[in-house]
Amino acid sequence: MKKVLFSLLFALLTVATPVKAWELTIPPQGHYAGELSDAAVLNGYVYAIGLETYINSETGYLFQCIGNTTLFKISPNGTPLTKYTIIGGFCDEEEWPSYGVESIEDTLIVSGMSCVPRFKNETIWIMALDDDGGYRWGISLPGYLTQVKIWNGSLIAAIAYGPKEHRTPMMLWIDPMSGEITRAYLLPPNHAVLTFDVNEKGEIIAAGYDYDMLSWAGIIYPNGTVKLWETGIEAWDGPSVWAVGNESNFLIAVGRSNGTYLINPITGNALFVKGIYPYALMVMNDSPVVVSTYGGKSILVRLNWNGSVRKTYSLGNFTVQFVSNGLMGGYTGGYPYEWHYYLAPFQPGREASLSLSALPVEAKLTERTYSLTPINVSVESFEPTIVTQNLERGTGLSVVTNPPGAKVYLNDVPMGRTPLSLSLNPGNYTLRLVKYGYDNTTLNLTIRPGEWKNVTVDLRPLMSNLEIDSDPRRASVYIDGVYRGETPLYITLTPGFHNLTLSVIDYQNYTKKIFLKPGEVKYLKVTLTPNFGYLLVDSTPQGAWVYVDGEIEGKTPLWFFVSRGEHEVKIVLKNYRPKTLTVEIQPNTPTIINESLEVIPATLLINSTPPNLTVLVTGENLTENCTAPCTLHLPPGSYKVNVTDGESWNATTVTLGPNTTATVLLKIPTTETPAKKGTPYLPLIMGVLLAATLGGAYLYLRRPGERRGGETTTQTEKAIEVKADKAFGISHVGARENNEDNLLVLKHPDAYLLAVADGLGGHNAGEVASQMAVDTLREVFEREYRKGMSDEDVKKLLEKAHGLAHGRIKENATGEREGMGTTLVTAFVRNGKAIIANTGDSRAYLIKDGKIVERTKDHSLVQEFVDKGEITPEEARRHPMKNIITKALGIDFGVDLYEWELEPGDVLLLSSDGLHDYVDEERIVGIASQGRSAEEIVRKLIEEALPVTKDNVTVVVWK
């Protein structure tokens, strides 16, 4: 872990570009990368500690098991004097250990870790040296060290995990003159300290995270009580959590891969600043500041106590790893084999013109109070081998190349990579410089006694050639923005990356980043895309004529090319009102129109004999009344027409087509009874007529357990359940406030259609996207699937449904729903076979005889890491980027198809990541194998997931 101390007092920030008193870059020894992690001052000399890690000479990558801890003694004017190499004092445990240096009186305190073998015997070591590197005392104990600090004559050490008898976080107070442990305390369980500082009251301001990587910060008071705030925000690995302040002002910084959360637990304010990572958090002039990197350079960001950004300042062209005791350091170079130690006095530079956005976020703070537990800790003696190297120049050679990183050979002996400084004996030497992509350079040198020779060489790149052609030809060719001619074209270029653009009228520009190897001849043939978009027009009902700019194109559903720009689209169907729309066509982009046409109503003329009778007209979900003669405009359908005079009635049934007119004449025999006599019975008769015509619909609406297409749906406040014979599914809100998952369980006469969708996007957009996906899937299969359809046609239907859902979601992703999308995994089950279609990271499993025999592959970033062999499947389950998906409907389309054979007893399981990201697959298989029915399996899996999941959870099973 890169350690940073906070006890810095600075004057005013300056906006002028400072002139550093000195600036030091030290190359490591050959085949090693060097970086500094801390620095202190003793007797006017600077002591800087860091790591020197071995680099694989073939690949240029760090070989993270081999290295040493290095300590440099540097004069007050920045001249390196001595290098002390601590043999065996090295550990690369994922940047956890702290390599620190402190000074008190005439003593240096250096600290670090040793791992022998890796990931096993992790050992903390703390050692006292004099100002010439002489050993005074050293102690060691098992565990992970995170930070060491001198305060008020004591050495305070924070340990994330201690020895076996105390495998919880602890803090030690050590006598810096003898190495004796004077006090030791266990910290609150599951709260590892990553960084801390001590204020003027002796209060320790500490920050860290728990075993679930959830961040916290708080105050450890001198009386042994601890007040802390748990933020509920997951931190990045390493020194990612910091805190500064007191009871009045307090600020917590939580680093992530894409930015930093800034939380004030006293006021409850919480912001997220994109693009920075906290390498240090401190107070300057009563304001918090954070030290970070941005765009390959180091910066200082001045903040308010609510986390908002005030100003940013440049620190220099290096990668900062610490700010301590008025010094700052880290490393320079863009690749591990170019990492050189870097150190300079701390001084903010010119104000940087950066626009860092601070977005409000919600932090669910939980305040807790604990008491420290005193313990006894045993230590062992630690006395490593320390190799001393004098760095003051005598006779030798410094070699610099442009670009750097060239291998240096002296008399054919490899010496390292440029820039490189070597102490040599006087004599004649043959210097050879070798770098991939460049001509070799050979020089004959003579080094005289007492001479230090400086050699600077501009390496000459090997040239490459590009032959490019296009269809159609005569396309203009631009290389890195410069016009180079028309296709076909043969040109000579420098090796490396180049931006290629081809341009021709009526076709889309073609752009591509190409890489040319030294000496390579690359041939490229490009087929240019016409500058058209395409239009998909559908209607309900289908079969409507489509006109574009007055020209007929065909009947819906219809797909065709259209030139870019604005067009008028008209949809016309007999007996329906025409629809006219204006659309903007973008090149190579689908525009989807799906319109529900409004039917033209029918006209019903009703007469009665005698006239002025009461009329009641009833149909499906519709009731109208009037006094004859009367005219009604009604939707097409079948209607019952009733007339009454209060004592008797007559009725008939009429069927109305769209845009038609029908006439009804109903007679009631005339009696001698006065008309008014029947009036009191009119409400009763009307009630009887209504009950006769609407009673069935009322019972239908009140009937529980409504079935549709063979499935039964039950909905509660937190879950929805769907059952259809052999298939059963539940979608539960889980740990979220709303459910963005959706499911589909649909039974056809000869098949089952099952699906799980997991939506993404804010403002309820995720649940909208997932609902659109399953609705589109249902719609396509209910409209187009036919019993006995071939497997190949089913696959095409699945691809069509995924594609149509993608287009609909993308079209509706506007305003607050911009960027919404969803996963969708679909299973079509028929005749002992399952055809699977998958987009995203929801999954389908085939479980047979207690084992997973088939499984869909996630469209996710960590799955790509697994495919490349960079991480294992087990590491992928806990990777911090496990939630980044590479394909989703509405965002980036792609669908994978699978075909699995099914046998009696097999279990087909579909799930969202709320299940398989939180419940081990062994447990999923165990529950699925023991369940006697699909419903029993689903219910037990939901019960297993709810206590541990942090997401919605959806499971569908066919058995």
Side-chain angles (χ1 to χ4, degrees):
M1 173 178 293
K2 285 79 177 175
K3 178 170 75 73
V4 180
L5 300 181
F6 303 141
S7 58
L8 300 177
L9 296 176
F10 297 101
L12 297 175
L13 290 172
T14 175
V15 298
T17 302
V19 177
K20 292 185 175 65
W22 50 266
E23 188 175 25
L24 178 63
T25 301
I26 307 174
Q29 66 184 41
H31 299 298
Y32 280 79
E35 57 178 317
L36 295 178
S37 58
D38 196 14
V41 178
L42 180 65
N43 298 331
Y45 290 92
V46 174
Y47 293 84
I49 195 169
L51 296 178
E52 207 162 82
T53 310
Y54 181 74
I55 301 171
N56 187 311
S57 60
E58 298 297 327
T59 65
Y61 291 106
L62 292 174
F63 195 89
Q64 295 187 331
C65 296
I66 303 174
N68 293 297
T69 302
T70 52
L71 178 69
F72 292 93
K73 181 178 181 179
I74 300 161
S75 72
N77 64 3
T79 301
L81 303 176
T82 311
K83 176 182 178 182
Y84 305 99
T85 302
I86 302 171
I87 305 299
F90 173 83
C91 183
D92 71 320
E93 183 70 15
E94 299 178 354
E95 297 188 350
W96 267 75
S98 169
Y99 295 89
V101 57
E102 296 285 329
S103 64
I104 180 170
E105 298 180 5
D106 63 346
T107 302
L108 285 174
I109 304 295
V110 293
S111 58
M113 283 189 58
S114 176
C115 298
V116 184
R118 190 169 190 251
F119 300 123
K120 296 251 173 135
N121 302 322
E122 295 90 354
T123 301
I124 299 167
W125 56 264
I126 303 173
M127 185 168 54
L129 305 175
D130 62 24
D131 58 358
D132 283 326
Y135 176 85
R136 288 188 171 174
W137 58 261
I139 60 173
S140 68
L141 69 158
Y144 288 91
L145 180 68
T146 58
Q147 187 170 355
V148 172
K149 179 177 177 60
I150 294 285
W151 185 82
N152 198 24
S154 290
L155 179 66
I156 305 174
I159 298 174
Y161 308 107
K164 290 182 179 179
E165 62 269 23
H166 305 297
R167 292 299 285 179
T168 57
M170 64 175 64
M171 296 197 76
L172 308 180
W173 275 254
I174 304 170
D175 182 349
M177 297 302 149
S178 65
E180 177 184 356
I181 297 179
T182 59
R183 285 186 289 164
Y185 295 100
L186 289 181
L187 291 171
N190 192 22
H191 287 76
V193 173
L194 299 180
T195 60
F196 73 90
D197 193 15
V198 186
N199 64 22
E200 66 279 358
K201 297 180 182 179
E203 299 168 343
I204 296 176
I205 310 301
Y209 51 60
D210 61 20
Y211 299 155
D212 294 321
M213 303 292 288
L214 299 178
S215 56
W216 66 271
I219 304 173
I220 303 174
Y221 295 96
N223 64 2
T225 61
V226 181
K227 176 182 179 181
L228 60 83
W229 295 277
E230 296 172 343
T231 70
I233 295 176
E234 186 174 355
W236 200 246
D237 200 6
S240 55
V241 190
W242 303 83
V244 292
N246 49 42
E247 289 279 5
S248 302
N249 282 322
F250 205 94
L251 190 65
I252 307 170
V254 183
R256 297 285 297 158
S257 61
N258 59 340
T260 296
Y261 290 91
L262 297 166
I263 307 113
N264 187 322
I266 297 174
T267 64
N269 288 336
L271 298 173
F272 181 75
V273 181
K274 293 184 178 180
I276 66 171
Y277 181 89
Y279 286 98
L281 180 68
M282 64 192 82
V283 176
M284 295 174 57
N285 301 328
D286 297 324
S287 296
V289 297
V290 65
V291 176
S292 178
T293 57
Y294 192 93
K297 298 181 180 180
S298 295
I299 61 170
L300 182 143
V301 183
R302 191 175 184 185
L303 306 168
N304 294 308
W305 283 102
N306 65 359
S308 59
V309 177
R310 296 174 64 181
K311 293 182 179 180
T312 58
Y313 301 86
S314 172
L315 293 180
N317 295 325
F318 70 102
T319 301
V320 66
Q321 299 292 283
F322 75 93
V323 173
S324 179
N325 298 312
L327 299 160
M328 60 184 181
Y331 62 87
T332 62
Y335 299 94
Y337 56 76
E338 296 176 354
W339 286 3
H340 292 185
Y341 300 104
Y342 177 85
L343 186 69
F346 176 82
Q347 192 171 5
R350 184 182 301 276
E351 183 176 339
S353 59
L354 299 178
S355 178
L356 298 177
S357 59
L359 306 176
V361 294
E362 181 181 357
K364 298 180 180 178
L365 293 166
T366 302
E367 183 175 327
R368 302 187 187 278
T369 302
Y370 297 94
S371 294
L372 296 178
T373 304
I375 57 170
N376 294 318
V377 176
S378 300
V379 297
E380 296 182 358
S381 176
F382 177 76
E383 185 175 358
T385 300
I386 301 177
V387 177
T388 302
Q389 179 182 358
N390 189 349
L391 300 180
E392 295 184 84
R393 288 185 173 183
T395 301
L397 171 68
S398 291
V399 185
V400 177
T401 59
N402 182 27
K407 293 181 180 179
V408 177
Y409 295 85
L410 278 181
N411 297 338
D412 291 329
V413 176
M415 306 301 293
R417 293 178 181 268
T418 59
L420 183 66
S421 296
L422 302 167
S423 295
L424 301 172
N425 295 320
N428 296 320
Y429 294 89
T430 299
L431 170 67
R432 184 160 57 93
L433 303 174
V434 178
K435 184 175 177 63
Y436 176 76
Y438 294 83
D439 284 332
N440 293 348
T441 300
T442 302
L443 300 172
N444 294 315
L445 306 174
T446 299
I447 308 294
R448 297 180 177 83
E451 178 187 14
W452 191 276
K453 186 180 290 290
N454 295 303
V455 175
T456 300
V457 177
D458 290 326
L459 301 177
R460 186 175 64 184
L462 291 171
M463 301 305 289
S464 306
N465 293 284
L466 175 65
E467 184 177 358
I468 183 168
D469 202 353
S470 66
D471 181 16
R473 287 188 165 185
R474 301 202 65 183
S476 296
V477 179
Y478 296 85
I479 305 291
D480 300 325
V482 178
Y483 175 74
R484 305 300 293 268
E486 293 183 344
T487 57
L489 185 66
Y490 187 92
I491 52 176
T492 300
L493 299 169
T494 57
F497 286 101
H498 294 277
N499 292 313
L500 168 68
T501 300
L502 301 182
S503 178
V504 67
I505 296 175
D506 293 332
Y507 286 81
Q508 295 181 35
N509 285 353
Y510 172 87
T511 59
K512 184 177 183 180
K513 192 170 188 176
I514 59 174
F515 179 76
L516 299 176
K517 298 177 182 178
E520 177 186 14
V521 177
K522 182 185 286 289
Y523 176 75
L524 191 63
K525 176 66 179 288
V526 178
T527 300
L528 300 174
T529 302
N531 202 8
F532 298 103
Y534 47 97
L535 187 61
L536 174 63
V537 184
D538 202 355
S539 64
T540 303
Q542 294 181 334
W545 289 101
V546 177
Y547 297 81
V548 176
D549 299 330
E551 297 290 333
I552 192 167
E553 297 289 345
K555 290 185 177 181
T556 60
L558 186 64
W559 182 95
F560 53 96
F561 283 106
V562 184
S563 61
R564 65 181 299 179
E566 190 175 277
H567 297 274
E568 182 187 79
V569 179
K570 189 172 184 180
I571 305 172
V572 179
L573 182 63
K574 185 179 179 181
N575 297 325
Y576 289 81
R577 300 191 189 279
K579 281 264 184 111
T580 302
L581 308 95
T582 300
V583 297
E584 181 74 24
I585 302 298
Q586 300 295 333
N588 201 33
T589 302
T591 299
I592 299 174
I593 297 174
N594 193 347
E595 292 291 327
S596 294
L597 301 179
E598 180 185 354
V599 68
I600 300 174
T603 301
L604 179 61
L605 305 177
I606 305 171
N607 296 294
S608 67
T609 301
N612 300 319
L613 297 182
T614 299
V615 178
L616 179 67
V617 179
T618 59
E620 185 178 0
N621 301 321
L622 184 145
T623 301
E624 295 281 353
N625 57 70
C626 60
T627 300
C630 58
T631 301
L632 298 177
H633 300 284
L634 303 171
S638 182
Y639 295 91
K640 190 170 185 179
V641 182
N642 305 269
V643 296
T644 180
D645 60 0
E647 291 185 341
S648 58
W649 65 82
N650 195 2
T652 187
T653 300
V654 62
T655 299
L656 302 177
N659 199 23
T660 60
T661 300
T663 301
V664 172
L665 174 62
L666 291 174
K667 298 181 180 180
I668 292 179
T670 304
T671 66
E672 298 300 324
T673 305
K676 288 186 179 180
K677 185 176 181 180
T679 303
Y681 299 99
L682 180 60
L684 176 62
I685 295 172
M686 294 290 288
V688 171
L689 292 175
L690 279 168
T693 56
L694 298 181
Y698 174 77
L699 292 174
Y700 172 77
L701 293 172
R702 296 287 292 172
R703 187 180 299 124
E706 179 61 30
R707 298 177 64 87
R708 177 182 178 184
E711 68 266 17
T712 302
T713 301
T714 305
Q715 188 160 358
T716 65
E717 182 180 355
K718 292 189 175 182
I720 183 170
E721 302 177 0
V722 184
K723 182 175 182 180
D725 293 344
K726 294 184 178 182
F728 185 78
I730 295 178
S731 182
H732 197 286
V733 71
R736 299 291 182 87
E737 293 182 359
N738 63 310
N739 194 353
E740 296 189 342
D741 285 4
N742 262 294
L743 80 168
L744 178 64
V745 178
L746 181 62
K747 188 175 186 302
H748 287 278
D750 65 335
Y752 290 84
L753 183 64
L754 316 174
V756 168
D758 183 356
L760 55 139
H763 299 284
N764 300 326
E767 57 193 87
V768 172
S770 63
Q771 186 67 57
M772 291 177 70
V774 298
D775 285 350
T776 302
L777 182 65
R778 177 190 283 272
E779 172 192 328
V780 169
F781 269 79
E782 287 184 341
R783 184 178 65 220
E784 300 187 31
Y785 176 71
R786 299 292 180 269
K787 183 177 180 180
M789 180 179 283
S790 70
D791 289 350
E792 289 304 314
D793 287 340
V794 169
K795 292 177 183 178
K796 292 177 182 178
L797 208 56
L798 287 170
E799 287 182 311
K800 177 178 179 179
H802 278 239
L804 187 58
H806 171 73
R808 289 177 175 177
I809 295 168
K810 190 170 185 179
E811 181 183 22
N812 284 276
T814 58
E816 291 185 341
R817 293 175 180 169
E818 184 175 357
M820 73 173 177
T822 184
T823 70
L824 181 62
V825 59
T826 306
F828 177 86
V829 183
R830 182 182 64 181
N831 297 334
K833 181 181 291 186
I835 299 174
I836 312 294
N838 183 53
T839 301
D841 66 347
S842 296
R843 292 182 186 168
Y845 294 90
L846 177 57
I847 300 172
K848 185 192 300 286
D849 298 328
K851 296 180 182 178
I852 296 174
V853 296
E854 299 286 357
R855 170 174 40 203
T856 55
K857 181 181 288 189
D858 294 348
H859 292 133
S860 67
L861 187 60
V862 294
Q863 183 62 51
E864 294 182 2
F865 292 163
V866 171
D867 293 342
K868 296 176 182 177
E870 297 178 1
I871 62 174
T872 66
E874 180 61 27
E875 290 171 332
R877 291 188 70 243
R878 295 170 175 81
H879 199 281
M881 289 185 282
K882 66 183 180 182
N883 294 325
I884 300 177
I885 59 176
T886 56
K887 299 290 182 186
L889 300 185
I891 298 175
D892 191 356
F893 181 70
V895 58
D896 294 337
L897 293 175
Y898 306 81
E899 192 171 315
W900 300 341
E901 297 295 331
L902 302 177
E903 296 177 354
D906 289 355
V907 175
L908 180 64
L909 185 149
L910 279 61
S911 65
S912 65
D913 59 4
L915 175 73
H916 55 253
D917 272 3
Y918 297 94
V919 179
D920 290 338
E921 287 188 343
E922 291 182 1
R923 184 62 181 149
I924 294 173
V925 171
I927 292 173
S929 300
Q930 295 171 9
R932 291 167 295 181
S933 67
E935 181 173 353
E936 180 181 339
I937 294 170
V938 173
R939 292 193 185 279
K940 288 187 177 181
L941 287 174
I942 294 292
E943 291 174 3
E944 188 79 13
L946 287 180
V948 296
T949 190
K950 297 179 182 179
D951 203 345
N952 310 135
V953 55
T954 300
V955 183
V956 173
V957 167
W958 177 93
K959 177 177 172 65

